[in-house]
Amino acid sequence: MSKVMVVTSGKGGVGKTTSSASLGAALAQAGQNVVVVDFDVGLRNLDLVMGAERRVVFDLVNVVQGDAKLPQALIRDKRVETLYLLPASQTRDKDALTEEGVGRVIAELRERFDWIVCDSPAGIEKGAQLAMRFADIAVVVTNPEVSSVRDSDRIIGMLDSKTLRAETGERLEKHLLLTRYDAARATKGEMMKVEDILEILAIPLLGIVAESPDVLTASNVGSPVTLHNPASAAARSYTDAARRLMGESVAINTPAEKRGLMSRLFGRKATAA
Amino acid sequence: MSILNFFSRNRSSAPVAKDRLQLLLAHERVLSGRPDLAAVLQKEILAVIAKHIPIDQDKVVVKLDRGAKVSTLEIDIEMPDEVIAQG
């Protein structure tokens, strides 16, 4: 049974593309057949983050419009053989996609893959709506910051009203992926805590990815962090999240504050959540 | 870092963020899928009044205040004296 999973957020820059690449890679590393589809027509970046930018010939728009066959546009990852990328077009705009055309491509992808990971563009316009339209599962990427939480709330509302599953009364699984979390700042009360955000958005938590230089390093070299540095905390967070998506029950660790000399001397407590 | 900064360091902003969000989202969730209710109300109320008295658009002041329990939509219309006299 194939699953269509949209990675979305409303707000830009919170980590949708990074998370799409990392979750997709982690699922593929676990043996699943995975395709990650870039829906950000006009501003594609998933190819760059996955290190396939020099191999793009055809793209999603070409396939939707019938100018290329699906297998011609799919790019196979050089590191994990069950991982594929379907890039977005760089020269078109979002109107180049139609619901009917996207539906056809998704149906064709469902025949070949276990997971179809749809990397949504930012915003709430047509591109974002098409990315979520056929989803069975949604991963809402959120930063612990007011504007991101507000936009996530808006996106959750759209998932509940604008998706095919919502319209036909079927259940759409929604998960929260909290990224760029800084445990030290949360402890000091400078950043909302995990439980604050869960209380506000009221969807189950898929994972917490702590703010980490490893994520930037991985995108610098064009490799999902789960492949580039599997031992890093960020990679482990994504790998665990992928296992949860596959139905395994894996406990979620809230990143703990690294206690420095001063806080040890003065005995400030770290969060024990 | 000044001494004042040092002592005020523990005053945390995260609870403020949470409170502001909860208040805001309570409103936005009700309004989702509908056009801005306040804007619709304003338009329709003014249309009704305009049917009976001439309104100068510049003399209409609309204020909206979203509170935790009660929100108020305040519409101030300045009516010309001659209209009142006729009534």
Side-chain angles (χ1 to χ4, degrees), chain A residues 146 149-150 153 188-192 196 199-200 268, chain B residues 9 12-15 17-18 21-22 24-25 28-29:
Chain A
V146 287
V149 175
R150 180 198 210 173
D153 190 76
K188 286 183 198 155
E190 294 171 359
M191 182 183 268
M192 282 185 283
D196 293 339
E199 188 188 329
I200 291 170
R268 279 251 298 282
Chain B
R9 201 173 50 156
S12 50
S13 59
K18 187 185 176 188
L21 270 171
Q22 281 179 321
L24 174 70
L25 294 180
E28 290 190 342
R29 283 169 185 161

Side-chain angles (χ1 to χ4, degrees), chain A residues 179-196:
Chain A
T179 54
R180 312 199 72 162
Y181 189 71
D182 186 330
R185 301 200 70 186
T187 304
K188 286 183 198 155
E190 294 171 359
M191 182 183 268
M192 282 185 283
K193 289 184 166 48
V194 178
E195 49 269 37
D196 293 339

Side-chain angles (χ1 to χ4, degrees), chain A residues 46-57:
Chain A
L46 193 55
D47 55 334
L48 195 55
V49 169
M50 294 186 69
E53 70 277 11
R54 291 162 61 173
R55 301 167 62 203
V56 176
V57 184

Side-chain angles (χ1 to χ4, degrees), chain A residues 44-118:
Chain A
R44 74 163 172 236
N45 273 318
L46 193 55
D47 55 334
L48 195 55
V49 169
M50 294 186 69
E53 70 277 11
R54 291 162 61 173
R55 301 167 62 203
V56 176
V57 184
F58 294 112
D59 56 55
L60 176 62
V61 174
N62 295 137
V63 180
V64 164
Q65 298 191 338
D67 299 330
K69 297 270 180 226
L70 181 62
Q72 295 177 305
L74 287 172
I75 301 170
R76 186 185 205 154
D77 191 89
K78 286 190 167 166
R79 298 148 299 207
V80 189
E81 62 174 19
T82 57
L83 179 61
Y84 287 79
L85 165 70
L86 181 54
S89 169
Q90 184 69 339
T91 54
R92 312 293 274 275
D93 63 40
K94 289 174 178 72
D95 291 330
L97 295 179
T98 59
E99 178 174 340
E100 186 272 328
V102 170
R104 220 175 340 104
V105 173
I106 296 275
E108 208 178 330
L109 289 170
R110 276 187 189 275
E111 288 170 18
R112 302 181 49 145
F113 295 99
D114 302 316
W115 291 89
I116 297 130
V117 181
C118 304

Side-chain angles (χ1 to χ4, degrees), chain A residues 124-156:
Chain A
I124 55 171
E125 308 301 325
K126 190 177 179 187
Q129 293 191 16
L130 282 175
M132 70 169 63
R133 181 69 187 159
F134 301 96
D136 305 310
I137 302 175
V139 173
V140 180
V141 183
T142 306
N143 292 167
E145 181 268 322
V146 287
S147 58
S148 173
V149 175
R150 180 198 210 173
D151 292 359
S152 293
D153 190 76
R154 185 79 188 277
I155 281 291
I156 290 168

Side-chain angles (χ1 to χ4, degrees), chain A residues 151-214:
Chain A
D151 292 359
S152 293
D153 190 76
R154 185 79 188 277
I155 281 291
I156 290 168
M158 287 179 61
L159 289 166
D160 287 336
S161 61
K162 305 249 182 205
T163 54
L164 202 59
R165 279 195 171 239
E167 285 175 11
T168 55
E170 279 180 278
R171 205 174 85 85
L172 174 91
E173 260 183 62
K174 289 169 298 213
H175 299 278
L176 180 71
L177 185 65
L178 196 59
T179 54
R180 312 199 72 162
Y181 189 71
D182 186 330
R185 301 200 70 186
T187 304
K188 286 183 198 155
E190 294 171 359
M191 182 183 268
M192 282 185 283
K193 289 184 166 48
V194 178
E195 49 269 37
D196 293 339
I197 294 159
L198 286 175
E199 188 188 329
I200 291 170
L201 294 178
I203 59 172
L205 182 64
L206 179 67
I208 305 161
V209 184
E211 176 78 63
S212 153
D214 300 322

